[in-house]
Amino acid sequence: MARPKDNGEYRAALRGLQIELVKLQRHLIRHEEKVLIVLEGRDGAGKDSTIKAITEHLSPRETRVMALGKPSDRERSQWYFQRYVPHLPSGGEIVLFNRSWYNRAGVERVMGFCSKQDCEDFLDAVPIFEHLLVRSGIRFFKYYLDIDKDEQKQRLQSRRDDPLKQWKISPIDNAALKHWKDYSRARDTMLTRTSSALAPWTIVRANHKPTARLNLIRDLLGRLDYADKAKPKQIAPDRSVVFPFDLDALHDGRLSA
């Protein structure tokens, strides 16, 4: 599936998919179903804009976006997953995590904010935790937005240059490029250790933001049933852009090195 030729084509395609998302939400509310979406990726991967595209026309009463900050001293003394549990969806809700418990396998690991044993314990525990979520009736989707080093460098620079993006700047940005290889290794370990049959990872090649957004939404819609759903051909994603994670992706060029 080709990239949108211009912004007009992109907005038209997005509008059609957003109409499908509204249909989906009406179905979820009617049947009290629960949907949880986790978006992960490097700094600048496009998580914010993707979430905005998904939620733009959804009901704010039944849609929540969670982007938790640094844990408090009290939270640091708790079971690691404890502070995330209160934010899980109830019946009829869609919850999107802009970064999630996977901070432990990414930034915390790379930047030394947790011990090696803490990370190992997390990697062992997270499949069990996620299986409990799925078996409780939550429809659970994990997307990793992948960009290459040059693209990240450009996007981080645009944050510094654009006065409307100043809120995105953090001290971690300065370390992102310096620790590129470390983040790559952490990503590969995370994907390998935490992708399971009940809670698989889906990779989104996100160097071109509009194409990534459209195809992620198509993939999500295609994996859920709802009334008056568009024909499969209308919401079929480009599998060169969005695809289920497998071990071959670590070596065949589908993931940034």
Side-chain angles (χ1 to χ4, degrees), residues 150-203:
D150 287 341
E151 185 65 25
Q152 185 186 48
K153 184 177 181 180
Q154 291 175 19
R155 292 184 188 182
L156 294 181
Q157 185 59 49
S158 77
R159 290 181 180 181
R160 301 182 188 99
D161 297 340
D162 188 340
L164 296 179
K165 295 180 180 180
Q166 296 297 299
W167 62 272
K168 290 188 175 187
I169 298 172
S170 77
I172 301 298
D173 288 356
N174 296 326
L177 291 167
K178 178 182 176 183
H179 291 281
W180 177 269
K181 287 291 186 183
D182 296 325
Y183 274 108
S184 293
R185 284 190 287 268
R187 173 204 63 193
D188 293 352
T189 299
M190 179 189 79
L191 294 173
T192 302
R193 297 272 299 273
T194 66
S195 195
S196 65
L198 283 181
W201 278 104
T202 300
I203 307 301

Side-chain angles (χ1 to χ4, degrees), residues 1-23 48-58 209-218 220-221 226 234-235:
M1 194 171 296
R3 291 182 178 185
K5 292 181 181 139
D6 52 39
N7 190 55
E9 184 174 299
Y10 164 70
R11 294 303 308 179
L14 180 60
R15 176 177 169 78
L17 294 173
Q18 288 174 330
I19 290 171
E20 292 298 307
L21 286 168
V22 171
K23 292 182 197 175
D48 294 321
S49 59
T50 299
I51 289 171
K52 183 177 179 181
I54 293 170
T55 61
E56 186 175 8
H57 296 290
L58 296 182
K209 284 186 179 182
T211 302
R213 290 180 209 131
L214 295 177
N215 281 283
L216 187 154
I217 296 171
R218 288 176 183 128
L220 178 66
L221 291 169
Y226 56 94
Q234 294 175 293
I235 55 173

Side-chain angles (χ1 to χ4, degrees), residues 100-114:
S100 64
W101 42 89
Y102 282 103
N103 275 340
R104 175 131 297 180
V107 65
E108 290 188 22
R109 175 180 179 170
V110 172
M111 300 304 297
F113 298 154
C114 69

Side-chain angles (χ1 to χ4, degrees), residues 109 115-125 189 193:
R109 175 180 179 170
S115 69
K116 290 182 180 179
Q117 189 59 53
D118 287 338
C119 189
E120 277 300 308
D121 291 345
F122 169 81
L123 292 169
D124 287 340
T189 299
R193 297 272 299 273

